[in-house]
Amino acid sequence: MNILITGSNGFIGKNLHYFLKQNNKLNISIFNKSKSKKELLYLLKNSDIVIHTAGINRSKNIKDFKNNNENLTQFICK
């Protein structure tokens, strides 16, 4: 089974990745903000399950929440 974890550098994503990679039957892919949307699209097309943990929870700019949280979630869902 191919599993994609977004937000792999965050607390939840990092610990989930560590836990799931102990199961040799799972093929785990990770996505974080250092990768492009083109890479994300490839990973999405090759995943059976997506665990979306990416998101900004602290920012001084309110637009960051929409740009980085809402827009990324919409991109993944499409």
Side-chain angles (χ1 to χ4, degrees), residues 59-74:
S59 178
K60 293 184 180 184
N61 185 350
I62 194 76
K63 291 180 182 180
D64 287 343
F65 295 103
K66 180 167 179 66
N67 291 337
N68 296 304
N69 295 347
E70 186 178 333
N71 292 346
L72 179 60
T73 301
Q74 288 177 355

Side-chain angles (χ1 to χ4, degrees), residues 18-52:
Y18 175 78
F19 176 76
L20 291 177
K21 73 180 183 179
Q22 294 177 43
N23 184 334
N24 294 333
K25 295 179 183 178
L26 302 176
N27 180 28
I28 310 298
S29 298
I30 57 172
F31 177 80
N32 56 57
K33 59 186 172 185
S34 70
K35 296 185 179 184
S36 70
K37 282 195 174 178
K38 184 177 180 180
E39 291 174 283
L40 175 57
L41 192 56
Y42 173 81
L43 293 170
L44 288 167
K45 288 180 179 181
N46 293 292
S47 297
D48 300 309
I49 296 173
V50 177
I51 303 173
H52 181 42

